[in-house]
Amino acid sequence: MAGSELWWIVILNGFGVVVMLFLYLRNQWSMNDLKKTEKMAEQGVEETDVLLKDLEEKKAKDDALLNSLGEGIVVTDQDGNVELINKTAEKLVGWKLDEVVGKKWFNVAPLVDNKGIQILPENRATQRVLKLGQPIYSDKYNYVRRDGTRFPVATTASPVVFGGKIIGVIAVFRDVTHEKEVDQAKSEFVSLASHQLRTPLSAIKWFVEMLLAGDAGPLNPEQTEFATNIAVSNQRMVDLVTSLLNISRIESGRIIINPVPTDLGKLVAEVADGLKKKIGDKKLKLAISVLPGLPLINIDPKLVSQVYMNLLTNSIKYTPDGGEIMVTISRKNEVVESAVSDNGVGIPKEAQKRVFEKFFRAPNAVKMETDGTGLGLYLAKSVVESSGGKIWFESGDGKGTTFKFDLPLSGMVPKEGEVTLS
Ligand code: ADP
């Protein structure tokens, strides 16, 4: 063989080895890649397993949480169809989850008022939330159980919002039978106690008046002073007992609403006339302005005059001597609005959300006027609301106060009851 041929053979063989080596290495790399991918896939499966386990664990915890709550929970979609109820809800309404899923909650658990009249779906908290998009609390009605029995319920319904859209409602509800019974017992106690207290208080009043009138012989100045103090304190007690009695009457729902066509301007003037002495003693200026041509309104004068009386008495009490009080009666669309304003001490910001609470008195009011029960506004609010109106105020510390309330122009709805206000 010639030398050059031998070289060729060596070169070609060398090339072949390089190609083989390249192919071998590429194969190895691919194998590695494949193994890596396999490993990653295995890892992925493991991770998914862990995730699933995590989710299952979380779900088990959520289920335990939902079912251990003392409150019933119902979740509905945006059409009011049940998606979920917890165990307490099952017990309260008597239906099992799988029997109600996909059904309208308002059909599953009908709501009735105390007379047994069914509440329309659109007036129920769960449906109103879908419309308003805000949480709603309601404790006025009763749920009807599967077996037809009822229980008073307190519900907080909140919207479920996703991507800016309301996609359903979560309602948390509980049976408030016990609270209602305690409330009722309290009201009955207050009613009974105040009723029983009125007789001896009236007797004291009569006898002190007789003493002061000299019916038992003339009194010396010291005796007159003592008897006058007894009369004043006794009157305070009479006022307190009367307020308590009126509140228990309103709360019991037994109050009679007897609307008659009434001239509100005349009514407020009569109330102001009864307060003439107090107004004069403090040298206050009182102005009354009534919209000319205001029609007669069908209201219960006894109830509404109590509202004017309480608001005016407050303005008198909480306005320093020489101050000004103004009553305005006007018409706003379908309501008659009354406003009682004064330039008195005002209601400090931190006290404002409590003024309608029973027995609440703001510190500046207590300082200015020791006399007071903290019941006047509560009573006024109860009367206005039971007459279909609303009451609110604007005030600031030292900036005077304006209380406003409105009543429907159409008047109050008559109600047959058992008692009137004292
Ligand atoms: P009372 O006058 O017996 O304290 P109310 O229920 O009538 O009870 O009023 C509750 C509280 O609201 C008062 O104690 C006072 O702090 C505040 N308030 C009501 N009306 C006025 C007013 N016109 N000016 C200032 N504070 C007022």
Side-chain angles (χ1 to χ4, degrees):
M1 208 182 286
S4 65
E5 281 173 343
L6 195 67
W7 272 113
W8 269 114
I9 288 168
V10 171
I11 288 171
L12 281 176
N13 268 342
F15 184 69
V17 169
V18 170
V19 169
M20 296 276 286
L21 197 66
F22 172 74
L23 285 174
Y24 172 77
L25 283 176
R26 208 186 64 170
N27 207 8
Q28 275 310 101
W29 287 334
S30 304
M31 290 288 282
N32 277 349
D33 272 0
L34 199 67
K35 274 189 192 143
K36 255 193 224 157
T37 316
E38 263 174 15
K39 209 167 163 195
M40 275 167 66
E42 271 166 22
Q43 267 175 359
V45 170
E46 269 168 32
E47 274 169 23
T48 316
D49 276 352
V50 172
L51 269 176
L52 269 175
K53 226 176 128 215
D54 262 11
L55 276 176
E56 271 166 18
E57 223 176 274
K58 276 202 186 106
K59 189 177 171 307
K61 279 184 191 157
D62 286 349
D63 284 349
L65 186 78
L66 271 181
N67 290 324
S68 64
L69 285 177
E71 273 97 3
I73 294 179
V74 55
V75 183
T76 74
D77 64 13
Q78 67 270 39
D79 299 317
N81 300 312
V82 176
E83 289 182 340
L84 179 89
I85 59 172
N86 69 347
K87 287 268 179 282
T88 311
E90 284 184 346
K91 261 187 240 148
L92 285 172
V93 294
W95 292 97
K96 291 268 169 241
L97 172 63
D98 50 9
E99 293 171 318
V100 300
V101 166
K103 294 190 180 155
K104 301 273 183 227
W105 178 242
F106 53 77
N107 288 332
V108 171
L111 201 63
V112 295
D113 65 13
N114 289 339
K115 286 188 189 138
I117 296 168
Q118 191 152 341
I119 307 303
L120 293 174
E122 60 265 32
N123 294 333
R124 294 175 59 137
T126 39
Q127 293 298 109
R128 279 169 52 221
V129 162
L130 287 171
K131 237 184 178 176
L132 302 175
Q134 280 172 354
I136 293 180
Y137 176 79
S138 160
D139 63 357
K140 281 197 284 195
Y141 304 122
N142 310 279
Y143 267 152
V144 181
R145 296 190 187 90
R146 182 181 198 160
D147 63 6
T149 56
R150 301 178 203 161
F151 66 94
V153 65
T155 307
T156 305
S158 310
V160 183
V161 181
F162 185 72
K165 261 181 60 190
I166 301 172
I167 58 160
V169 178
I170 294 190
V172 181
F173 60 95
R174 67 198 164 86
D175 180 347
V176 287
T177 306
H178 183 63
E179 279 102 316
K180 295 265 168 185
E181 279 169 2
V182 171
D183 252 16
Q184 170 97 7
K186 259 198 299 192
S187 292
E188 276 165 14
F189 170 74
V190 170
S191 164
L192 189 89
S194 25
H195 208 83
Q196 295 302 322
L197 280 171
R198 270 153 67 97
T199 320
L201 288 174
S202 302
I204 295 173
K205 189 174 163 151
W206 277 100
F207 283 112
V208 174
E209 273 171 14
M210 279 161 69
L211 276 180
L212 284 168
D215 290 2
L219 301 184
N220 66 33
E222 202 178 17
Q223 288 166 338
T224 306
E225 192 194 325
F226 288 178
T228 308
N229 282 342
I230 294 172
V232 170
S233 300
N234 189 61
Q235 188 55 46
R236 249 189 246 166
M237 208 122 79
V238 170
D239 290 345
L240 173 65
V241 165
T242 307
S243 295
L244 286 173
L245 195 60
N246 282 338
I247 283 172
S248 80
R249 283 175 178 175
I250 286 201
E251 284 180 344
S252 70
R254 293 181 302 134
I255 206 94
I256 300 167
I257 300 184
N258 184 19
V260 290
T262 307
D263 178 339
L264 283 184
K266 229 165 128 188
L267 188 75
V268 84
E270 277 165 21
V271 174
D273 203 49
L275 296 166
K276 221 164 48 191
K277 184 167 180 324
K278 286 183 181 168
I279 294 171
D281 285 351
K282 288 186 80 173
K283 300 186 178 55
L284 297 166
K285 281 185 218 82
L286 171 71
I288 299 174
S289 155
V290 183
L291 177 79
L294 188 76
L296 299 183
I297 320 284
N298 225 10
I299 50 127
D300 185 325
K302 208 164 180 176
L303 291 175
V304 176
S305 62
Q306 183 77 51
V307 180
Y308 286 126
M309 169 71 93
N310 291 3
L311 297 184
L312 272 171
T313 314
N314 280 348
S315 284
I316 296 167
K317 278 196 293 192
Y318 306 121
T319 303
D321 290 10
E324 287 168 16
I325 300 172
M326 169 98 188
V327 182
T328 319
I329 302 176
S330 55
R331 182 183 165 171
K332 298 255 160 80
N333 300 321
E334 292 313 298
V335 296
V336 184
E337 188 179 282
S338 301
V340 178
S341 356
D342 59 60
N343 59 352
V345 293
I347 305 173
K349 199 142 197 61
E350 52 291 356
Q352 292 193 355
K353 53 178 187 309
R354 299 195 56 198
V355 289
F356 288 111
E357 278 175 28
K358 248 188 258 183
F359 302 114
F360 178 79
R361 305 193 68 212
N364 66 336
V366 177
K367 214 156 105 192
M368 178 164 187
E369 175 73 56
T370 43
D371 230 9
T373 58
L375 291 172
L377 286 181
Y378 178 81
L379 188 63
K381 187 170 189 270
S382 308
V383 170
V384 171
E385 288 180 354
S386 61
S387 315
K390 59 179 194 315
I391 183 165
W392 68 102
F393 66 93
E394 289 145 21
S395 183
D397 204 355
K399 293 198 186 118
T401 306
T402 301
F403 272 91
K404 291 185 183 173
F405 68 95
D406 62 25
L407 293 170
L409 201 63
S410 54
M412 292 181 175
V413 180
K415 189 169 148 265
E416 277 181 32
E418 296 154 40
V419 282
T420 56
L421 293 186
S422 304

